[in-house]
Amino acid sequence: MDYATMFDLTGRKALVVGGAGGIGRAAVGGLAAHGAEVVVADVQADAAKAVADEVTVSGGSAQAYELNVLDPQAISQAVADLDPVDILVLTAAVNVRKRMLDYTSEDFDKVIGLNLKSSFAMISAFGRGMAERGSGSIIAFTSIRSITVEPGQSAYAATKAGLLQVVRTAAAELGPQGVRVNAVAPGVVETPLTQPILDNKEWADAYAAKSALGRWSKPDELAGAVVYLASDAASYVTGTQILVDGGWTAIDGRYDPPA
């Protein structure tokens, strides 16, 4: 191991799904800064291009790619267009905050479809080529909700727990072919997905107080975990979940949100 270059991603191609979003955008920036050629994939083509242009202006290498991961044909086309991919990062997610008795089947399908089904499909689609080439790193974003819950989080928590088990299974199945599969579990992050909570001061303050650090995280505080798992520094790390939660799951506390 060359310790001076163990985080160097030069010559590797990274595909970041949801790359125009808060956490995805930070992942793109971190990977590009360490030398990766990054594909910013997002259903919002203009937003993906804006992120790719930012990276290019900063001296990195990035391109935008419009991708709807809910469309199986679009995933197949992405493999044809983009493979070989060395690093796959999955950040796209949605949440419908409702008590279970208020949930509709449409709500449930929406959350399961994007958070779990599409992630399963992407891991399968791009993991195949990685296995054939004998190398690769897949990084899926789960959540603290994969292990701890609260009212209003039933479907979301189920998808994140399910995704963690998909990650572990993929690590077991693809490990012999040299492919590593891991998860990053954020705590509370300031993104558009969590804006309704941030808009409620009592709720936002309670979440801040719940972590050991006493605050929310910024999206760029997740980038280090992505770079680590993508790099040779994590060459013996697979099938695990890295918690980037400010100590949320290390301490006890309770708050009943208005959801």
Side-chain angles (χ1 to χ4, degrees):
M1 173 74 73
D2 183 350
Y3 298 132
T5 62
M6 63 182 178
F7 292 102
D8 185 13
L9 301 174
T10 301
R12 301 184 197 183
K13 186 176 184 179
L15 171 59
V16 179
V17 178
I23 293 174
R25 182 175 183 173
V28 168
L31 293 167
H34 284 79
E37 175 192 342
V38 186
V39 178
V40 185
D42 203 285
V43 70
Q44 299 181 38
D46 290 343
K49 184 179 184 304
V51 173
D53 288 346
E54 286 179 6
V55 171
T56 302
V57 169
S58 299
S61 176
Q63 68 178 92
Y65 187 87
E66 184 175 1
L67 176 60
N68 179 5
V69 292
L70 297 175
D71 181 354
Q73 291 186 339
I75 293 176
S76 296
Q77 188 61 51
V79 173
D81 292 341
L82 302 174
D83 233 12
V85 165
D86 304 296
I87 303 160
L88 173 64
V89 182
L90 302 170
T91 74
V94 67
N95 193 3
V96 176
R97 287 181 171 274
K98 288 183 181 178
R99 306 281 174 144
M100 290 181 67
L101 301 186
D102 298 324
Y103 236 78
T104 67
S105 60
E106 290 79 13
D107 294 332
F108 187 83
D109 290 345
K110 177 180 179 179
V111 177
I112 296 292
L114 181 58
N115 297 7
L116 186 58
K117 185 176 180 180
S118 74
S119 295
F120 185 100
M122 288 293 294
I123 291 171
S124 299
F126 284 90
R128 184 181 304 278
M130 291 179 179
E132 291 172 353
R133 294 186 295 274
S135 66
S137 175
I138 298 173
I139 305 159
F141 270 79
T142 53
S143 167
I144 55 171
R145 297 305 172 205
S146 66
I147 55 176
T148 182
V149 300
E150 67 180 7
Q153 293 277 46
S154 58
Y156 183 81
T159 62
K160 294 305 184 176
L163 181 54
L164 176 56
Q165 294 300 77
V166 168
V167 163
R168 288 169 169 163
T169 304
E173 294 181 356
L174 301 178
Q177 287 75 50
V179 182
R180 297 182 297 105
V181 190
N182 293 288
V184 176
V188 288
V189 189
E190 295 181 3
T191 69
L193 189 65
T194 57
Q195 193 59 50
I197 304 173
L198 290 164
D199 290 339
N200 183 319
K201 189 177 187 305
E202 180 188 5
W203 196 356
D205 289 349
Y207 272 14
K210 175 63 182 74
S211 74
L213 296 180
R215 63 177 178 83
W216 287 60
S217 69
K218 303 288 187 183
D220 57 13
E221 293 181 289
L222 282 300
V226 174
V227 172
Y228 166 67
L229 291 173
S231 73
D232 291 341
S235 60
Y236 201 62
V237 179
T238 195
T240 195
Q241 174 172 258
I242 295 180
L243 288 158
V244 188
D245 67 350
W248 180 293
T249 53
I251 62 177
D252 190 23
R254 181 173 296 173
Y255 175 68
D256 191 6

